[in-house]
Amino acid sequence: MWKLSNFINYFFTGVGFGAATYLIILTFAFPGVPATRLGVISVFIISGLIGILSMIFAADVSPTIAFSVHIIGTFLLVLLMYWINKWSITFWSIGVFILAYIIIWLIVILSQVHMVNKINSRIKKRNAKK
């Protein structure tokens, strides 16, 4: 059973990734376009929901199903955000979504590899002392 703290952790992790992605996209893909109040609020909420959607990877489902549900759900939530903000959906914006999705996944994977290596190193040190 999921605890409320899990939902909160996943939500705020999603907000962090979403906020950083929003700022990077505004800075490099759309320079000079200001962030709006509605844009920021919708990015926070939608990103948090995407974070909660990421809980599927901790569920007892196959990685293929989890990934499929996650990418489709994420894309639908991003489309909702575009609709809320009246942003136009173009091949460019879909390309930006795909690129951002890949980069975020690379960051998550590299972070997990780093964490596993750190844990393994501590275990080796502890076992060497015995």
Side-chain angles (χ1 to χ4, degrees):
M1 180 161 181
W2 296 104
K3 295 179 189 175
L4 180 60
S5 63
N6 286 346
F7 280 95
I8 292 170
N9 287 336
Y10 276 86
F11 183 88
F12 282 110
T13 299
V15 169
F17 276 109
T21 303
Y22 180 60
L23 290 174
I24 290 168
I25 289 171
L26 277 182
T27 301
F28 295 107
F30 302 104
V33 175
T36 64
R37 180 177 295 148
L38 180 61
V40 170
I41 292 169
S42 67
V43 165
F44 281 6
I45 292 170
I46 298 295
S47 297
L49 293 175
I50 292 169
I52 290 172
L53 180 62
S54 299
M55 292 175 81
I56 190 151
F57 293 106
D60 192 22
V61 296
S62 76
T64 304
I65 291 173
F67 181 76
S68 299
V69 168
H70 188 265
I71 194 165
I72 291 168
T74 299
F75 186 68
L76 292 174
L77 286 167
V78 168
L79 288 178
L80 174 64
M81 183 175 57
Y82 270 69
W83 179 76
I84 290 169
N85 289 287
K86 296 177 178 54
W87 295 336
S88 60
I89 300 168
T90 63
F91 285 114
W92 170 252
S93 60
I94 293 171
V96 169
F97 164 79
I98 293 168
L99 181 62
Y101 193 85
I102 291 169
I103 290 171
I104 290 169
W105 264 106
L106 289 174
I107 291 168
V108 168
I109 290 168
L110 290 173
S111 173
Q112 288 180 345
V113 166
H114 176 71
M115 189 181 313
V116 167
N117 288 339
K118 201 172 180 179
I119 291 169
N120 286 340
S121 175
R122 287 182 183 169
I123 290 171
K124 286 179 187 176
K125 285 180 184 178
R126 186 181 64 199
N127 288 341
K129 290 180 180 180
K130 289 182 179 184

